[in-house]
Amino acid sequence: MVEPQFLGRTGTAMDDLLNDFLAETAEILAEAGGAIVAWEADPADRAQLDAIFRLVHTIKGSSGFLALPRVTALSHAAEDALDQVRCGNRPANAALVTGVLGILDRLGDLCTTLGQTGVEPAGDDRDVIGALAAEDASEEPVIEVAGVPLRREDDLQAELQNWRSIRVPLPLLDSVMTGVTDIVLARNEFARMLRESGADLSVIASFDRLSDSIAGMRQSVSQMRMQRIDKLFAPLPRIVRDLAKDLGKKIAFQTSGGEVELDREMMENIRDPLIHIVRNAIDHGIESLEDRVAADKDITATISVSARQSGNQIEIEVRDDGRGLSPEALVAKAIGSRVVTATDARALTPKEKLELIFRPGFSTAAKVTAVSGRGVGMDIVKANVEKIGGIVELRNDEGRGLTILLRVPMTLTIISGLMVRAAGQYFAIPRGAVREILLEGGDTVRIDQLGGGELATVRGEQFPLLRLENILGRARDAQDDSDDRALVIVRPGQGQSYALSVAAIHDHEELVIKPAAPMIMATGLYAGTTLPDNGRPVLLLDVQGLLAAAAVDASEAGRSHNRMTEADAAAAAARNAVQLLLFRDMNGRVRGVRLSVIERVEEVPASALFESAGRVQAQIGDDIFPVHAATLPGGEGTLKLLRLYDGRAVLCYPIAEVIDIVRLPDAVQPSAAPGLIAGVVLVGGDPVELIDPFWLMEQYAAGAPAPALRQPLCRVADDRDGWGGNFLAPILRSAGYRVVLGDDVSDEVPDVLLCCTDEGAVLGSANGEVPVIRLRTSIAAKGPEDETVYRYDRQALLDALRRQVGGDRA
């Protein structure tokens, strides 16, 4: 949604009211769009519906006061539809959600024009109002979007009604923040001078009061520029819903960490990269429904976006459970696109292969679409993030999903920091990440060597030990006293902690943090630079980056054997659970079949099905498979086939659509007699018929083709009148034998010779070791010793071949 450009001040109260209305409406539309998509996943949440209703009602009330008839009519239509749902007079379905979202889009367009011209444009909104009023009886497939928290009544009332506020230009806030920064630096320098001069205690007490006032002022100014990151997440549910619907994919969308605060300017800089990454995850990362079934995945994919604060940096993680990235496929695509040469590609490390997606002009899309495929994407994302001092990391699990991590600084801010020394240099650690400080040689600390690394045990709790000098690649300073070495227990994020060994602890200070040079930030070890009270620049350590550079597991959950064992047992139970594929049959019934018997879900054109010998069959590629259908399905276009596979044969089962993959319930009500339906189970409170694959395969086993083994070779000899080539050879081939006629050249020794006459020598016989079957032209045999076979006795001929060659190929 495009935010309106606010009118400049003209000195009239009405202009100020309009500006306030546009700003408030932009916030409401951004929040309502994501909130209503989240409510779609749980329509029974009445509190959430009431909150959305109040958002729309606020727009209607404000627009009526400003005499904006189109805005009022649109918001009234949306309010009325939501009120009908509240009263139980209308179902909460996908058609309603789509209609309300259409109203919100139109309101956004009107507000944009209002912000530019100051006048509501003339026009007719009967199309979107009519679409909302018309209830669609056919249910659309629901795109699940979950985990997006909507702020409740208390928050909304506080933000939209009770707060008395004024709007301040952002440049003015920047100027105030710069002034506060200079005051903090001057205070730090004055504090150093007081310590060195040995000032009177009364002077120091007065300075402390001044220092507290400065700290309170800078805290207030910092908060002016900060916004909750859930404002950044607000448009994502709508984007996921619309794009997933266009691509025919089922996606559950989740967010977390919306309470994390980020500088407004930084938020604007990462908005577009984040949206691009989410769209890429839907388009490229998440497989089609058929591919997810073939990969034994849940039919509903998951995309999660989370945020957390790590020192002076914000980490935004976008995770999906799609196909991930294939390094070798990326290399092949890069060579084909001439992004790299074949020689350069061979020298790439696994990490460098993944980072090919950041090369300008590189795209993994098979074709150009409205979503992607033009080669302008991840390179721009990386450039925009690095331009503001951030980095982009890829964590790939090929075949199972991809995680993209954006780590961006909070830019100009002031934090409480711990000053430490290592290798003769001073560094800062965010105070918020420090859990505890101990002496390395203290009685409560034990350090053990373990597998090439070190483990620190503090009062029975174990932490991986990192030595700062080793991570930075620097030697210890000879002047450092080993007795002063300290351990800083660092907790960089939720569920992680480690011990950092430093030469000495210096002091706590209020630090002004700014982004460091791009080359320094690119190392991943630093979160910015600061100027403490001694006037010498100091680098702020990135506590998460140190952990990544050390490549150790700092997970707290992994230190509890019992919890890990329980988690493994639960995961094993989930893997061993019988999975059931739910689908809608061609007659509209919901049925299920064990996922383990399905080879794949095939989508074929309707013309691929044909009827032969009273049975429906399907041509897929160069193969022909039987289809369980009494008659040819009517219609044109494409249809879906479940390919059931028993290890030898394939049987196709036509379906209307795949619904979901669920765990097979334990309670099954079996059928009274063998047949297509093995029984009935309850899934989500609804009865589902279970297909019996054993019965199905049994019905078609008699007509199944021979297994793909070596076909015996038959040579037809003494074929003087062509009867062997015209009449006999087709019978043999249909029974699973290869045929060589007398005139054909073959270096392979035949398994049997078929002589088309019962008189004379066998023509073409290589030696006496090849068994011979003679065919006679008369029905009656010459006597009891006659071992020839009547040429038109099909069964006798096939029985003779079976005895001579082996195996039942009739």
Side-chain angles (χ1 to χ4, degrees), residues 420-427 468-470 472-480 485 501-504:
V420 300
R421 192 175 74 247
Q425 300 291 329
Y426 284 95
F427 300 91
L468 186 53
E469 293 90 348
N470 295 343
L472 300 178
R474 301 286 301 275
R476 291 191 184 184
D477 192 334
Q479 298 181 0
D480 290 341
R485 289 200 70 85
S501 174
V502 296

Side-chain angles (χ1 to χ4, degrees), residues 248-268:
K249 298 178 180 180
K250 298 187 70 175
I251 299 175
F253 180 67
Q254 303 171 348
T255 64
S256 61
E259 71 282 355
V260 173
E261 292 189 335
L262 182 63
D263 185 277
R264 176 186 173 89
E265 185 178 2
M266 184 61 65
M267 195 178 295
E268 292 298 325

Side-chain angles (χ1 to χ4, degrees), residues 589-644:
R589 292 190 177 186
V590 176
R591 289 175 170 171
V593 66
R594 289 173 180 259
L595 186 63
S596 56
V597 304
I598 300 176
E599 182 184 34
R600 72 180 64 171
V601 180
E602 194 92 41
E603 187 165 354
V604 301
S607 59
L609 272 65
F610 62 93
E611 191 171 358
S612 176
R615 286 191 170 182
V616 179
Q617 302 186 68
Q619 179 182 353
I620 302 176
D622 296 330
D623 298 318
I624 295 177
F625 301 109
V627 179
H628 178 71
T631 59
L632 280 173
E636 299 179 353
T638 62
L639 54 86
K640 292 182 173 62
L641 298 176
L642 295 182
R643 288 179 54 165
L644 308 181

Side-chain angles (χ1 to χ4, degrees), residues 49-114:
L49 172 61
D50 290 343
I52 298 170
F53 177 83
R54 282 189 293 272
L55 287 173
V56 179
H57 180 76
T58 300
I59 297 178
K60 188 187 80 169
S62 301
S63 63
F65 179 76
L66 291 170
L68 302 173
R70 289 185 65 185
V71 175
T72 302
L74 287 166
S75 54
H76 177 74
E79 180 189 44
D80 185 59
L82 292 171
D83 191 48
Q84 291 182 34
V85 177
R86 298 168 74 200
C87 298
N89 298 328
R90 181 169 182 176
N93 54 21
L96 170 75
V97 172
T98 301
V100 174
L101 290 175
I103 293 283
L104 298 183
D105 288 342
R106 183 63 58 86
L107 286 172
D109 295 340
L110 290 178
C111 288
T112 300
T113 305
L114 267 169

Side-chain angles (χ1 to χ4, degrees), residues 227-302:
Q227 285 188 330
R228 286 168 55 105
I229 209 167
D230 55 9
K231 291 185 178 291
L232 181 65
F233 294 164
L236 297 180
R238 173 74 185 279
I239 293 171
V240 173
R241 179 187 189 271
D242 291 349
L243 187 53
K245 182 179 177 182
D246 292 342
L247 298 178
K249 298 178 180 180
K250 298 187 70 175
I251 299 175
F253 180 67
Q254 303 171 348
T255 64
S256 61
E259 71 282 355
V260 173
E261 292 189 335
L262 182 63
D263 185 277
R264 176 186 173 89
E265 185 178 2
M266 184 61 65
M267 195 178 295
E268 292 298 325
N269 286 327
I270 63 175
R271 186 185 306 276
D272 289 344
L274 179 62
I275 290 176
H276 188 92
I277 291 172
V278 171
R279 289 171 63 87
N280 261 5
I282 302 171
D283 188 29
H284 293 312
I286 302 302
E287 311 94 329
S288 64
L289 300 183
E290 292 78 10
D291 290 343
R292 291 187 68 84
V293 171
D296 196 19
K297 292 183 177 181
D298 193 326
I299 198 171
T300 300
T302 300

